[in-house]
Amino acid sequence: MTPNLGNWCQRVLLVDDEPIVLQALKEGLKQGSFETVAVSSCTLALEALQKYEFATIISDYKLPDSTGLQFFEKAKLIQPDSSRILITAYLSLNTLIKSINEGEIFRFLTKPWFLEELLTTTTNAIQRYALVKANKHLIDETSKLNSKLMEVNQQLEARMKDLSRQTVALDRANSDLQTSFDRSLELCYRILNTFEPWLGSHIRRVATLCDNMSTMGPFTEMEKRVLRASGWLCDLGMIGLPRTLLSQYRKAPGSLTPAEMKQVESHVILSQALASFLYNEETVGETIRAHHERFNGTGFPDGLAGDSIPWTARCLAVAVAFSEFNSESESFTTFVLNRSGSSFDPEAVRLVLKVIDKAKLPKEFDQMMVDDLRAGMILASGIYNPNGLLLVAEDQMLTEATIAKIKNYNNLNQINQRLLVYT
């Protein structure tokens, strides 16, 4: 590609001891719009080279104080990039070719020369000079960019090492924090167990159930952490109640006066406050505060209902109910299913029963949540509405359409029974 001559010097130095020849060269190059400087000797030419930059040097071979080739050797030391053109009628062709190959001259013109030949050769010489300059400029810029890139790479490498050290330190800090948190939970459990042994036993059952639920239920990673922490901390506020009141609440909750019941109910607010000192995740406090809310809005302390109750709190509510359940007249399964859709979220009920009853179910059956249902499963028991109307028959293979029907009905009316399928 021809370089842009406008970006580089186009000045030409003319060296000849004959004034007529110098004038002819100047007039000829003027037609090519070249800027020229004309001198009559090698000495004057070297002085001009010290003052000005020249793209091309055109010199006669015979000079009064040197030969053209000797002059070019000296000129090359001052301005090595300039293109050198020798005008001669004396040197042999082999000598000229050797000079060209060794880089002493770019081209040569024989006397007498033609104007067109002079203009073309000079143009080519200036283009060659511009190309050399452009290449040097590119090499220089590339060198600067490489140096800058090397510097940036060194900075990046240092930054990566620093980041790696920070990552290791952060991992260590997170591990230490988790260890500290686990110890804090264990400490809370020991405080509750020392304060009231049955309360410590109750909390351990709830925490174990919540941990199992978090691995089997539809939870995000955040919800899993929230549910596990809430299981340990949900009744921490009980230590603010008198032991006699706790004992009465445990053995005969129906005998409590409204004022005493109100005092017991306040433990969720105290538990929320105490938990905030151990776990700054806001949803943990929200879960603890809401775990005695009821699906139909009859719970405490805020009267929340349905999906307004955090999903983790709805699951924790059933887990706490299981731990506190103490009846000889009915099973917990019957108890919780009778209250599914009223006191408890049916999905939370199904999840808890799936966890606590899994070992009790016959091996050929498995319990599912609505979202667990898949095409190809076969129902091990029929699905009925609250009025006893059969919705999906036992032994029916589920299809995508059947599952969609079950989900749509559950969204509208809540299915309050366990969903069993053959394994």
Side-chain angles (χ1 to χ4, degrees), residues 40-51:
S40 59
S41 68
C42 170
T43 301
L44 294 175
L46 292 175
E47 291 177 359
L49 287 171
Q50 296 288 351
K51 295 180 181 180

Side-chain angles (χ1 to χ4, degrees), residues 341-354:
S342 55
S343 295
F344 305 113
D345 181 347
E347 278 292 271
V349 169
R350 278 186 281 272
L351 175 59
V352 171
L353 291 179
K354 179 179 180 178

Side-chain angles (χ1 to χ4, degrees), residues 29-255:
L29 293 179
K30 186 182 295 184
Q31 297 186 34
S33 300
F34 297 114
E35 177 187 353
T36 61
V37 173
V39 296
S40 59
S41 68
C42 170
T43 301
L44 294 175
L46 292 175
E47 291 177 359
L49 287 171
Q50 296 288 351
K51 295 180 181 180
Y52 308 107
E53 180 183 1
F54 293 97
T56 299
I57 306 171
I58 301 177
S59 175
D60 187 24
Y61 176 72
K62 291 187 67 177
L63 297 174
D65 51 356
S66 178
T67 67
L69 290 178
Q70 291 171 340
F71 161 62
F72 280 156
E73 289 179 1
K74 297 175 182 178
K76 185 178 180 181
L77 297 175
I78 300 172
Q79 295 192 28
D81 297 332
S82 300
S83 299
R84 294 170 289 278
I85 300 173
L86 184 68
I87 300 176
T88 181
Y90 302 100
L91 287 182
S92 67
L93 182 61
N94 288 337
T95 301
L96 291 173
I97 292 175
K98 180 181 179 183
S99 297
I100 292 174
N101 291 337
E102 291 178 356
E104 299 298 333
I105 64 175
F106 170 65
R107 293 284 189 275
F108 68 91
L109 294 172
T110 59
K111 293 181 178 179
W113 68 84
F114 296 101
L115 177 60
E116 183 178 349
E117 181 184 13
L118 173 64
L119 292 175
T120 301
T121 302
T122 303
T123 299
N124 291 339
I126 292 179
Q127 289 179 345
R128 175 260 173 197
Y129 167 81
L131 183 61
V132 169
K133 283 293 188 180
N135 285 340
K136 284 194 171 183
H137 177 73
L138 182 60
I139 291 172
D140 183 57
E141 289 299 309
T142 301
S143 178
K144 290 179 181 178
L145 289 175
N146 285 337
S147 298
K148 186 65 176 177
L149 181 61
M150 184 179 298
E151 180 183 347
V152 171
N153 283 337
Q154 290 173 347
Q155 293 175 353
L156 181 60
E157 184 177 354
R159 178 61 180 159
M160 290 299 294
K161 289 181 179 179
D162 185 51
L163 186 60
S164 178
R165 288 192 294 269
Q166 291 179 11
T167 301
V168 171
L170 183 60
D171 289 342
R172 186 181 299 113
N174 285 335
S175 177
D176 293 343
L177 185 62
Q178 184 61 48
T179 300
S180 177
F181 179 66
D182 291 342
R183 289 176 178 173
S184 297
L185 293 180
E186 180 68 19
L187 176 61
C188 291
Y189 160 72
R190 291 184 179 278
I191 290 174
L192 288 171
N193 196 59
T194 302
F195 176 73
E196 188 63 64
W198 71 263
L199 188 56
S201 178
H202 158 68
I203 283 298
R204 183 169 288 281
R205 287 196 303 273
V206 172
T208 301
L209 184 53
C210 286
D211 185 62
N212 290 331
M213 290 165 65
S214 69
T215 62
M216 299 177 65
F219 300 100
T220 65
E221 289 302 315
M222 174 61 74
E223 287 173 336
K224 290 179 181 180
R225 293 193 295 270
V226 168
L227 183 60
R228 290 165 181 161
S230 300
W232 284 105
L233 303 173
C234 63
D235 282 343
L236 190 57
M238 289 284 193
I239 60 176
L241 302 177
R243 282 192 176 88
T244 54
L245 180 59
L246 273 179
S247 179
Q248 186 179 356
Y249 171 70
R250 176 194 176 197
K251 297 176 180 178
S255 65

